[in-house]
Amino acid sequence: YQYPLMFGLILAFCWCSLVCCSRIYMGMHSILDVIAGFLYAILILVVFHPVVDLIDNFNLTYKYAPLIIISLHLALGIFSFTLDTWSTSRGDTAQILGCGAGVACGSHVNYIMGLKLDPPPDTLPLSLSSLTVTVFGKAILRLLIGVIVLLLTKVAMKKATIPLACKIFRIPHDDVRKARQRMEVELPYRYITYGTVGFSLMFIVPCLFHFIGLS
């Protein structure tokens, strides 16, 4: 969508500030950690921005892209689980990797099935349409249905993956919170659960919207 540049800059600055301040407020990171993370994010942007289209095209068109994506994200998750003691960062890392893999796989399936959910490039940028009662109502309905589907997906996968991982690795699951702190449980639980959520976000929920006429 076409919008004023200053509006985008203000929104990005506010969002970034809220994320950084929340990390400090929650005691998860120090000010130095946040500054280093911010600079590292800029470095990642500089390195990967020139090849974004190449990566996106590979993800959408290459036949074995989902297999490579899942394997790569899973390997990165395993390497991040080398700490001797449990920390919330381990689970967050696996959660982000799983969600990213699910989103990428969902995009690939959309492309393979010919479900072009994005507008043609020659129609971009889109102009903001006027806000009517019908448009607002559809937006709220899409939000409610989407959130409910994703929450149900998360709950279902959580109830399935944790007991299954405990059974496979023979870990007592009487205390679920303690069991989740084990690498053998936390990695598959976070990765599979949020991978499924990401896939639902990109493929299942949009298909549902199309089916009920809310696209």
Side-chain angles (χ1 to χ4, degrees):
Y1 287 93
Q2 186 67 40
Y3 54 86
L5 175 63
M6 187 56 63
F7 174 78
L9 291 176
I10 293 174
L11 182 63
F13 175 79
C14 292
W15 184 261
C16 182
S17 300
L18 288 172
V19 172
C20 293
C21 292
S22 70
R23 297 293 84 193
I24 299 173
Y25 176 77
M26 296 296 292
M28 303 300 295
H29 296 286
S30 65
I31 296 179
L32 185 60
D33 291 337
V34 170
I35 294 175
F38 177 77
L39 296 176
Y40 187 55
I42 294 178
L43 177 62
I44 293 175
L45 181 64
V46 171
V47 172
F48 282 96
H49 185 268
V51 294
V52 164
D53 290 336
L54 181 64
I55 296 174
D56 190 49
N57 184 67
F58 169 82
N59 174 48
L60 295 178
T61 61
Y62 187 59
K63 183 178 180 180
Y64 299 106
L67 182 60
I68 295 175
I69 292 168
I70 293 174
S71 300
L72 178 61
H73 283 71
L74 186 58
L76 290 172
I78 292 175
F79 282 122
S80 71
F81 274 68
T82 56
L83 299 176
D84 295 331
T85 57
W86 177 83
S87 72
T88 56
S89 297
R90 296 194 320 180
D92 292 342
T93 301
Q95 182 172 317
I96 293 170
L97 289 170
C99 189
V103 167
C105 291
S107 300
H108 179 83
V109 173
N110 283 333
Y111 180 84
I112 295 300
M113 296 185 64
L115 304 176
K116 294 185 177 180
L117 302 176
D118 294 329
D122 57 350
T123 63
L124 300 178
L126 301 176
S127 58
L128 294 174
S129 59
S130 58
L131 184 62
T132 63
V133 176
T134 302
V135 172
F136 181 76
K138 279 190 173 183
I140 295 299
L141 190 58
R142 282 166 57 94
L143 176 64
L144 292 176
I145 294 176
V147 168
I148 291 173
V149 171
L150 294 180
L151 286 177
L152 291 176
T153 302
K154 176 188 173 182
V155 171
M157 295 308 300
K158 180 179 179 179
K159 288 185 176 297
T161 53
I162 294 179
L164 180 60
C166 290
K167 185 176 181 180
I168 292 175
F169 295 103
R170 298 179 180 179
I171 297 175
H173 59 277
D174 299 332
D175 188 346
V176 176
R177 184 175 182 180
K178 186 175 181 180
R180 284 177 52 183
Q181 296 180 3
R182 295 284 298 272
M183 179 189 72
E184 301 89 339
V185 176
E186 189 171 33
L187 178 56
Y189 151 59
R190 295 268 192 167
Y191 191 85
I192 296 174
T193 297
Y194 288 94
T196 307
V197 169
F199 183 82
S200 299
L201 176 67
M202 292 302 296
F203 177 70
I204 296 178
V205 172
C207 287
L208 177 61
F209 288 160
H210 180 74
F211 180 75
I212 63 179
L214 282 177
S215 297

